[in-house]
Amino acid sequence: MADLPSGTRYVRRTHIRSAGWRAGAALSGLCLLLAAGSAAWGQEAASPAGPACDGALGYAEAFGGRRTFLLRPDHLAAVKARSLTDGALKPARAAVLRRADAALTRPAYTVVDKTRSPASGDPHDYMSIGPYWWPDPDRPDGLPYVRRDGQVNPERATNAFDATDMEAMSRDVQALSFAYYLTDDERYAAKAVEMVRAWFLSPETRMNPNLNHAQAVPGREAGRAEGVIDAHRLVRVVESLGLLDPSPALTELDKKALRDWFAALVEWMATSPNGRAERAARNNHGVYYDMLLSHFALYAGMDDAARAVIGAFGPRRLAPQIEADGRLPQELTRTRSLHYSTWTLIAAMDVAQLGQCVGVDVWGYRTPDGRSLGKAVDFLDDWAGRENEWPFPEMDLDQTGGLYEVLLRGAWAWSDAELARKAELYRARNRSADINLRLPPYAP
């Protein structure tokens, strides 16, 4: 690994326990760096009830050795058992099997086949451009690019860059791993592992574990702090690797190499200029930074680093970013304010779930004046069923997938039948959504 900044100490320790594997990479100085500037509140996780998530082991003990952190074994078992006959779950099962069958026929994706070169000159470095940056129409060469909030430049999705391939790779690996879980068909596992090896492990095609050139802006910046959020696609991969754990296609050497890859990415996120700048973000980017780093750290066996981030999440993110009435002011100024509000809360809910793995209760965090994750969900809940009356800027009120996920996850998190009722308002519009593979309809 690269040297850490002065004053930061890196120590690796390995634990072998009767319960199974845990590779703990204890980054003592790194943990202090991650928690710096916020008073960590570290209480025992109290809610919601369910199978135990045990640090870097995740749910493996309760899930037949599958080391997941966001996919709960009880919820997935219910989905698997009911999805053949339950009309609420059959569309999602059918959709993911169609996606998986299509993925079986596709070649693996890589970062080395893009047509443009990152500033480093190394094709193994991931590269994308900022989604809302466009050529300047008043300049012959279009440089430097100019920003149009909420309007995605289609150039980002071309083969000149890696964002589309990373999205497709993560979607295919997710579909294949779910298909493997639902059907026990090893063909799906073998194809998923082929794609994972090409993207992360094969020397000829692997991605370097950094995002130095993510969300670049032609004519302005070769890569930006905001590009760290591109890694949200890798959350799907980490959880998919857990579903693939029982398959002989994924070898122990693969698993070790993947843990090392994500450990290196965690170190880059915590110590690089772009990573540290993203950590300082005060909007959805800061929330996603904490979620991504803690998730990847748990996968890599770095419990202490994950605990440091999650232990500071309440005072560092929830308290300053949520108003007493539950609104997210930084997101409400955007041209897609409902989208960004739900997008932010989905990442915050992921942090709350990960907190259960390290003994920190994010679900129940509350400031003296009432700022909390639950309050933010309540604010959105008030608009459920009347989203067309949403009083803030929003370019597409027909996109309700984020609102549906927030309401359904909130119902399960707080055993809230009213949130479940409102989530059902959106099920028909989101029958094939991925969340339906992770959560059955709420039942008290």
Side-chain angles (χ1 to χ4, degrees):
M1 282 192 170
D3 292 338
L4 296 180
S6 176
T8 302
R9 185 164 60 92
Y10 175 79
V11 181
R12 179 179 286 277
R13 57 184 169 84
T14 301
H15 299 283
I16 304 297
R17 307 191 322 162
S18 59
W21 170 88
R22 181 196 296 267
L27 303 177
S28 303
L30 180 56
C31 293
L32 293 175
L33 175 67
L34 294 171
S38 295
W41 95 101
Q43 67 223 49
E44 289 299 311
S47 62
C53 184
D54 182 12
L57 294 175
Y59 287 112
E61 185 171 353
F63 205 7
R66 298 174 181 88
R67 199 165 63 94
T68 60
F69 307 94
L70 297 173
L71 299 177
R72 276 183 36 169
D74 53 338
H75 292 156
L76 263 69
V79 169
K80 183 174 182 177
R82 293 169 52 184
S83 61
L84 283 168
T85 58
D86 189 330
L89 299 175
K90 286 174 66 176
R93 178 190 175 100
V96 80
L97 291 178
R98 284 195 300 271
R99 285 166 47 202
D101 286 339
L104 287 174
T105 68
R106 282 194 279 268
Y109 308 92
T110 78
V111 295
V112 298
D113 60 0
K114 55 182 168 287
T115 60
R116 292 182 62 171
S117 179
S120 65
D122 186 347
H124 293 270
D125 283 339
Y126 172 90
M127 181 186 182
S128 66
I129 59 170
Y132 304 139
W133 292 86
W134 294 70
D136 186 340
D138 295 329
R139 295 177 179 268
D141 60 0
L143 300 176
Y145 277 27
V146 294
R147 192 169 189 270
R148 303 177 189 172
D149 188 31
Q151 301 179 46
V152 177
N153 180 354
E155 182 184 6
R156 173 177 166 85
T158 67
N159 195 42
F161 305 102
D162 294 315
T164 297
D165 276 358
M166 182 187 276
E167 173 72 11
M169 179 276 297
S170 68
R171 288 286 183 189
D172 279 1
V173 169
Q174 180 190 54
L176 290 161
S177 68
F178 267 104
Y180 170 60
Y181 174 72
L182 292 171
T183 68
D184 300 310
D185 187 334
E186 283 289 340
R187 292 179 307 145
Y188 296 123
K191 186 63 178 184
V193 172
E194 175 192 329
M195 289 191 170
V196 166
R197 286 178 181 147
W199 191 273
F200 296 98
L201 302 181
S202 298
E204 298 82 8
T205 58
R206 74 190 294 268
M207 172 184 164
N208 291 332
N210 71 68
L211 293 155
N212 288 323
H213 306 292
Q215 295 206 16
V217 179
R220 294 180 184 270
E221 297 170 283
R224 298 182 302 146
E226 291 87 345
V228 173
I229 208 169
D230 279 17
H232 79 269
R233 299 168 177 90
L234 302 185
V235 170
R236 301 178 192 128
V237 174
V238 168
E239 295 300 301
S240 296
L241 290 170
L243 294 181
L244 296 169
D245 267 327
S247 173
L250 189 65
T251 70
E252 292 304 315
L253 286 176
D254 291 332
K255 294 174 185 179
K256 181 183 183 302
L258 287 162
R259 292 195 298 267
D260 288 345
W261 192 97
F262 278 96
L265 182 61
V266 167
E267 184 185 2
W268 178 88
M269 288 179 66
T271 62
S272 68
N274 280 358
R276 296 181 72 169
E278 184 75 338
R279 177 174 176 265
R282 307 289 286 179
N283 62 357
N284 67 86
H285 281 265
V287 174
Y288 269 87
Y289 176 91
D290 285 2
M291 183 272 288
L292 295 171
L293 192 147
S294 54
H295 191 215
F296 300 158
L298 283 173
Y299 178 77
M302 303 159 73
D303 301 52
D304 293 343
R307 188 176 294 106
V309 172
I310 299 169
F313 187 76
R316 179 182 291 280
R317 305 297 184 196
L318 299 183
Q321 289 186 225
I322 299 173
E323 295 292 321
D325 66 356
R327 70 182 66 199
L328 300 172
Q330 292 295 321
E331 313 311 327
L332 293 180
T333 63
R334 304 295 298 273
T335 58
R336 300 186 63 202
S337 60
L338 181 58
H339 161 77
Y340 275 104
S341 293
T342 59
W343 162 257
T344 305
L345 291 183
I346 286 168
M349 287 177 158
D350 285 347
V351 175
Q353 277 195 254
L354 297 171
Q356 294 176 250
C357 301
V358 293
V360 178
D361 182 17
V362 176
W363 295 110
Y365 173 83
R366 186 180 181 89
T367 66
D369 64 350
R371 300 162 193 252
S372 67
L373 184 53
K375 192 70 173 180
V377 173
D378 286 344
F379 177 77
L380 290 179
D381 165 42
D382 287 342
W383 298 98
R386 57 189 188 98
E387 67 277 2
N388 288 330
E389 300 173 29
W390 179 256
F392 307 98
E394 178 53 61
M395 299 171 67
D396 190 356
L397 286 169
D398 291 331
Q399 295 296 317
T400 58
L403 183 56
Y404 172 58
E405 178 169 344
V406 167
L407 294 169
L408 183 58
R409 292 179 70 174
W412 278 104
W414 294 295
S415 301
D416 191 319
E418 180 61 13
L419 286 178
R421 184 188 69 78
K422 291 187 175 180
E424 288 303 309
L425 298 174
Y426 299 101
R427 182 176 294 278
R429 282 184 261 179
N430 297 279
R431 289 162 56 86
S432 301
D434 292 342
I435 188 63
N436 296 319
L437 298 169
R438 296 161 49 194
L439 283 179
Y442 173 75

